[in-house]
Amino acid sequence: MNRREFLLGSTATAGALGLGGMELVAGAQELTIQPASFALRDQVTNGMVSLSPDAPPPVLYGRQGEVMRLPVRNTLADYTAMHWHGLRIPNDMDGVPYLTQMPIGEGEVYDYAFTPPDAGTYWYHPHCMTMEQMAHGLTGVMVIAEPEDPGFDSEQVINLRDFRLDENGAFLPAYTPRGAARAGTFGNVHTANWLKTPVYDHGAGHLVRLRVVNTDTTRIYRLHLMGGDAKIIAWDGHPVEVEVPIPTADAPLLVGPGQRVDFAVAMPDQEGGRVDLMAKLPGRPAQPMATLRAVGASVSRDLRELGPLPANPAAMPDLANADLHEFVFGWTPEGGQPDNGFCGSLGYNFWSINRIPWPGDAAADVGPLATLERGKSYVLRLRNESPNLHPIHLHGLVFTPIKSNLRKLPPLLTDTMLLLKGEVAEIALVADNPGDWAFHCHVIEHQKTGLTGFIRVV
Ligand code: C2O
Ligand code: CU
Ligand code: CU
């Protein structure tokens, strides 16, 4: 294969998609993890981590069923490893230190190459020095396009995340032990694509595909749209085939760390008309995180012109023949300290899965939480014994929530389930991707203080 076949996109696509400031990687597939500076507030914040010296990690474009080659070069003194969240790819490309690869040291390159089987909205982040590197900026969006154009006029990616800064724009510690033992430590600067309420222009009356990704280390966003007509077309990457209500100010959509939602938005017909992505943060009224602004003469398109997105090729679990595995998420009975390896430790164990806290980086002597037989169907019962919410994420596979003691769950394919306080939920999956797959809470402070394990598919 020649170099051109590995292009992630083209500049022509970048213009057409209306990326509004997010740079597209075209041709240069090598991703160089490096220090960065950026004005997150009025002052420049130094000590950030990105893939360029002065911009957020770019949106990476791929195409369903086409190979992507993404060598990752580490120029930091710290170790790293890159994970492609939600992609069902071979285990050795999954980017989890010691479980699927060795950490990437300073000056080293790891050659990631994979063919995404599913279209949709995904993202990438390090899985080694996870807290430090993510908190300092290294969280980017991946868009895997359908082979057929689904019929939008333009597209907008919104990467939502907070930063924890002091009044001079310098980083505060990414976590506190108090936060890690509870809901997590929250950032105080709320951004979309690293900006405060950016405004993106889209044609009046156009149909826009709005891809919203929560890449924060802690925050569960409560989102709704204001202005324009909209519907939810995909959730955690996968097309939504059932009718799901459109979130409102009174009933916002909970999007946990790691989760994604795609909206189809019909832009207002009036030039200057706005569609605001609103977030309700604790203790204040909902505020706009990002704005789409209508420009030009309206082409008056209608949401009903859109057909459904093509389903991704995920196998449907056979519930009648599914074995059950149980998982309890809670505090750790023993506390103790995780080992401090190359991938960073927060210095505490507060959390556990099935009463066992993850021992730290290399997880010596810890076996899988469950061993699944390749090709078989399973039901996993997830029990939250803590008063906090946990976005529980499984690598390498997709699953469908099937029941809960607290709510009616739409049967949507996902890789991350936001487990509510006191919730016992069942999820179903087909174990069709062999390997050791990380299974953890995506509140990074929980992940790094014990709420981690892995599931083996043989
Ligand atoms: Cu998005 Cu194990 O991670
Ligand atoms: Cu993942
Ligand atoms: Cu958690």
Side-chain angles (χ1 to χ4, degrees):
M1 269 178 266
N2 65 38
R3 197 179 145 79
R4 279 200 59 81
E5 291 179 270
F6 296 134
L7 294 187
L8 301 176
S10 65
T11 41
T13 334
L17 297 179
L19 278 181
M22 296 287 278
E23 189 192 328
L24 187 78
V25 170
Q29 303 90 20
E30 186 168 280
L31 307 178
T32 304
I33 300 179
Q34 57 191 284
S37 300
F38 195 84
L40 292 168
R41 274 186 164 173
D42 303 332
Q43 314 90 327
V44 169
T45 295
N46 296 312
M48 301 191 70
V49 181
S50 188
L51 300 177
S52 71
D54 54 9
V59 179
L60 299 177
Y61 285 87
R63 211 164 259 288
Q64 184 176 21
E66 289 183 22
V67 68
M68 301 175 81
R69 272 191 77 228
L70 301 162
V72 169
R73 178 181 298 277
N74 180 21
T75 69
L76 306 177
D78 284 336
Y79 283 84
T80 192
M82 195 64 95
H83 172 58
W84 320 96
H85 181 122
L87 295 189
R88 299 188 295 147
I89 54 180
N91 197 243
D92 60 345
M93 293 292 126
D94 197 44
V96 180
Y98 303 106
L99 206 56
T100 74
Q101 67 168 84
M102 292 305 282
I104 310 169
E106 183 177 11
E108 292 177 352
V109 177
Y110 193 93
D111 280 309
Y112 294 98
F114 45 77
T115 303
D118 301 316
T121 306
Y122 301 91
W123 66 294
Y124 61 97
H125 61 81
H127 227 281
C128 173
M129 297 303 286
T130 315
M131 185 79 242
E132 294 74 4
Q133 292 175 8
M134 283 179 68
H136 287 207
L138 192 52
T139 64
V141 174
M142 286 187 95
V143 168
I144 308 299
E146 295 80 11
E148 308 275 319
D149 177 0
F152 294 93
D153 300 298
S154 59
E155 177 159 313
Q156 184 65 55
V157 169
I158 301 289
N159 176 352
L160 291 179
R161 55 162 306 158
D162 294 345
F163 293 92
R164 258 172 70 76
L165 304 180
D166 68 16
E167 56 292 349
N168 301 315
F171 277 107
L172 292 165
Y175 67 94
T176 61
R178 189 188 155 79
R182 294 175 178 78
T185 308
F186 293 88
N188 54 0
V189 175
H190 314 292
T191 68
N193 300 341
W194 285 20
L195 302 169
K196 184 177 192 304
T197 323
V199 177
Y200 298 110
D201 287 344
H202 289 271
H206 276 192
L207 293 176
V208 180
R209 181 171 186 168
L210 175 62
R211 302 177 187 262
V212 180
V213 185
N214 178 356
T215 76
D216 195 54
T217 54
T218 315
R219 185 175 303 284
I220 297 159
Y221 284 92
R222 291 171 162 75
L223 301 176
H224 74 279
L225 292 176
M226 213 169 70
D229 243 3
K231 65 177 178 186
I232 292 177
I233 54 166
W235 176 247
D236 290 340
H238 299 278
V240 163
E241 287 164 24
V242 295
E243 209 40 60
V244 288
I246 184 81
T248 61
D250 295 331
L253 182 68
L254 265 61
V255 181
Q259 297 194 293
R260 295 85 70 199
V261 57
D262 289 28
F263 295 96
V265 178
M267 292 297 291
D269 286 319
Q270 206 61 294
E271 168 121 49
R274 304 159 76 90
V275 179
D276 291 308
L277 174 65
M278 306 292 290
K280 171 82 182 75
L281 301 170
R284 31 175 137 158
Q287 67 184 74
M289 300 302 297
T291 297
L292 309 182
R293 182 174 58 193
V295 292
S298 181
V299 295
S300 299
R301 290 195 64 195
D302 189 292
L303 288 178
R304 282 168 299 197
E305 293 169 36
L306 292 169
L309 293 170
N312 283 323
M316 284 299 128
D318 169 11
L319 293 180
N321 295 297
D323 282 349
L324 177 74
H325 286 273
E326 308 229 28
F327 302 87
V328 176
F329 305 97
W331 285 310
T332 158
E334 270 143 41
Q337 250 190 302
D339 352 308
N340 188 7
F342 291 142
C343 288
S345 163
L346 306 201
Y348 302 89
N349 267 336
F350 296 123
W351 299 95
S352 64
I353 304 180
N354 292 350
R355 323 245 177 250
I356 300 170
W358 184 249
D361 282 3
D365 306 322
V366 176
L369 291 162
T371 299
L372 312 182
E373 238 178 274
R374 188 174 179 184
K376 284 190 62 173
S377 294
Y378 293 89
V379 170
L380 314 186
R381 185 177 290 149
L382 315 180
R383 179 185 301 273
N384 181 6
E385 277 193 351
S386 80
N388 304 107
L389 279 63
H390 302 282
I392 301 296
H393 172 50
L394 176 60
H395 288 212
L397 300 164
V398 280
F399 57 82
T400 309
I402 51 174
K403 71 172 170 206
S404 156
N405 62 334
L406 297 181
R407 51 184 166 150
K408 203 166 147 11
L409 291 163
L412 305 177
L413 282 172
T414 176
D415 50 66
T416 306
M417 157 114 201
L418 185 61
L419 213 52
L420 305 178
K421 172 180 173 179
E423 186 163 43
V424 184
E426 292 184 5
I427 63 174
L429 57 82
V430 181
D432 54 4
N433 197 3
D436 286 345
W437 299 112
F439 185 49
H440 62 87
C441 179
H442 225 291
V443 170
I444 306 302
E445 287 155 85
H446 294 173
Q447 174 191 354
K448 293 293 284 186
T449 58
L451 221 162
T452 296
F454 70 97
I455 288 180
R456 177 168 289 164
V457 178
V458 291

